[in-house]
Amino acid sequence: MRWRIILVALLPILLPSATAYAQQNTIRGKVRATSGTTLNNAVVELRMGGGGLLGQTVTRNDGDFSFNGLVSAEYEISVMLAGYEPAVQFTRFTNSPRDGVREDIFVEVVIKAKPGPALGAPGVNFAQDVPQAARAAYEKAMSRLQEGKSDEGIALLREATGIFNDYFDAHFALGTELLRRDRDEEALEALEQARRINERESAVYHVFGLAMMKQKKFAVAEYAFREATRLNRSSASSHFYRGVVLVELVTRSEDERQRKLDMEEAEKELNLAWELSDKRMTAVYLQRARVHERRGDKEAAARDLENYLKAEPDAKNAPAIREVITRLRAPRQ
């Protein structure tokens, strides 16, 4: 019973959150290839400390992107583009929320072309003969999304897919934007169309996995992230989220043998995400604490939570985490 109480206390702290944060700072950035060429039409996602999706945009105007209205914290920026390896970069605001001073950060993300025949940028060099009218609608849509005009962007993306139903980048962009707007069923339809057109693109499986996580369909999410990591072994984000959903499956399984296997796989995936992120994805500490807790290793769980607090001293959930550490180390009665 005591372990169940500790687990209940851990869950709201350790689960990724999709809550949006407000109110002052800005991240501006640019996406480039290793050759130095700027890349448009890359999908850029923003998360706080490995948590849920806070925002998503598409690069325009020489690879530019931006996110506004951000509180002081560490953020994870992930970039996905067909024909290139997904990349993850971290940045942190150093100003205090009490200062009342706005801070702007500039981030440059460099992504590497996949080995073999390159697919190129969706809608640019992707091997599709896209009608000009469909391309024009897509480009307008990306501009509207960049301006924050989501409804107009969605309408234009639907226009592009109506003109050319096999337009991969339009279906993919439509699916990711609909998911951001909590229109999940429509999002899944668009993502399935994108997968049908190009089933070798890891980013489609990654975003589908996020949708399944959001709906708490963890078994399906695990499959999606497993496919994403199979297609792109260097994606720290996909490995991390596969680890997260495996931990969720452990908490729901009654098969002891399967729980053990899933815990081992979850730990492996989380450790791999840690290494691939150059040991900067601090949310790994939180998820590893869940693995240790399920195994009954309270001290290892407490150490991982302490390591998280050392890396994130200003974390909003720090008081709750310290309370859990105290409970984990409390002598048995």
Side-chain angles (χ1 to χ4, degrees), residues 13-17 21 46-54 71-77 88-92 237 240-241 244 280-287 308 311-312 315 317:
I13 297 169
L14 306 183
L15 282 174
S17 169
Y21 298 85
L46 182 72
R47 292 175 175 80
M48 180 184 285
L53 185 67
L54 297 179
V71 298
S72 298
E74 181 176 69
Y75 289 88
E76 170 192 332
I77 301 164
V88 175
Q89 194 156 319
F90 295 82
T91 190
R92 176 193 289 276
S237 248
F240 173 77
Y241 283 108
V244 172
R280 298 177 66 186
M281 189 179 280
T282 56
V284 168
Y285 286 127
L286 299 178
Q287 298 301 323
Y308 176 78
E312 301 288 343
N317 54 357

Side-chain angles (χ1 to χ4, degrees), residues 80-84 114 117-123 125-128 164-173 189-208 223 227-228 230-231:
M80 294 174 286
L81 180 61
Y84 292 83
K114 291 181 179 178
L119 294 176
N125 296 317
F126 186 59
Q128 291 184 293
F164 181 47
N165 189 46
D166 285 342
Y167 201 166
F168 170 81
D169 49 328
H171 283 294
F172 182 67
E189 289 179 12
L191 290 171
E192 174 55 24
Q193 286 294 326
R195 188 204 62 80
R196 176 185 62 80
I197 297 163
N198 181 14
E199 63 180 10
R200 299 293 299 170
E201 178 49 60
S202 64
V204 176
Y205 293 95
H206 182 91
V207 176
F208 180 74
Y223 161 77
E227 285 297 291
R230 180 180 66 83
L231 292 167

Side-chain angles (χ1 to χ4, degrees), residues 46-306:
L46 182 72
R47 292 175 175 80
M48 180 184 285
L53 185 67
L54 297 179
Q56 188 176 68
T57 189
V58 178
T59 56
R60 297 288 297 166
N61 303 321
D62 293 327
D64 292 337
F65 66 89
S66 66
F67 296 100
N68 303 310
L70 306 175
V71 298
S72 298
E74 181 176 69
Y75 289 88
E76 170 192 332
I77 301 164
S78 57
V79 178
M80 294 174 286
L81 180 61
Y84 292 83
E85 302 284 1
V88 175
Q89 194 156 319
F90 295 82
T91 190
R92 176 193 289 276
F93 292 106
T94 58
N95 60 334
S96 167
R98 291 185 292 273
D99 292 342
V101 178
R102 175 191 175 101
E103 184 177 358
D104 286 1
I105 293 177
F106 180 79
V107 177
E108 186 165 279
V109 183
V110 178
I111 58 177
K112 182 173 64 174
K114 291 181 179 178
L119 294 176
V124 180
N125 296 317
F126 186 59
Q128 291 184 293
D129 184 13
V130 180
Q132 183 59 41
R135 189 185 301 277
Y138 172 78
E139 290 177 353
K140 276 187 186 177
M142 295 299 98
S143 179
R144 296 297 183 273
L145 293 178
Q146 182 71 16
E147 295 166 1
K149 299 175 180 177
S150 179
D151 289 338
E152 292 182 33
I154 288 171
L156 285 162
L157 287 170
R158 290 197 186 283
E159 180 182 333
T161 59
I163 297 169
F164 181 47
N165 189 46
D166 285 342
Y167 201 166
F168 170 81
D169 49 328
H171 283 294
F172 182 67
L174 179 61
T176 53
E177 180 63 15
L178 288 168
L179 183 62
R180 190 187 70 82
R181 292 285 303 276
D182 295 324
R183 293 163 62 175
D184 294 359
E185 293 307 313
E186 295 172 88
L188 292 174
E189 289 179 12
L191 290 171
E192 174 55 24
Q193 286 294 326
R195 188 204 62 80
R196 176 185 62 80
I197 297 163
N198 181 14
E199 63 180 10
R200 299 293 299 170
E201 178 49 60
S202 64
V204 176
Y205 293 95
H206 182 91
V207 176
F208 180 74
L210 294 175
M212 293 297 96
M213 274 186 72
K214 185 178 175 185
Q215 295 184 5
K216 300 190 183 301
K217 297 177 180 178
F218 296 113
V220 182
E222 189 278 327
Y223 161 77
F225 289 123
R226 178 160 29 100
E227 285 297 291
T229 58
R230 180 180 66 83
L231 292 167
N232 177 25
R233 298 185 183 278
S234 64
S235 170
S237 248
S238 294
H239 286 289
F240 173 77
Y241 283 108
R242 183 169 181 240
V244 172
V245 296
L246 281 166
V247 176
E248 289 301 313
L249 291 174
V250 167
T251 66
R252 289 159 172 76
S253 176
E254 296 181 359
D255 185 332
E256 183 58 36
R257 179 177 175 276
Q258 189 60 50
R259 282 203 301 266
K260 183 179 179 181
L261 291 173
D262 285 345
M263 277 194 289
E264 290 175 354
E265 190 69 11
E267 186 172 34
K268 182 174 75 173
E269 289 286 68
L270 292 169
N271 289 339
L272 186 53
W274 178 248
E275 295 299 327
L276 288 170
S277 69
D278 293 326
K279 300 182 179 180
R280 298 177 66 186
M281 189 179 280
T282 56
V284 168
Y285 286 127
L286 299 178
Q287 298 301 323
R288 275 200 316 224
R290 298 179 72 198
V291 173
H292 294 315
E293 187 277 332
R294 292 298 303 182
R295 285 178 173 155
D297 192 342
K298 294 190 289 184
E299 180 55 33
R303 283 198 303 269
D304 262 333
L305 294 178
E306 285 179 332

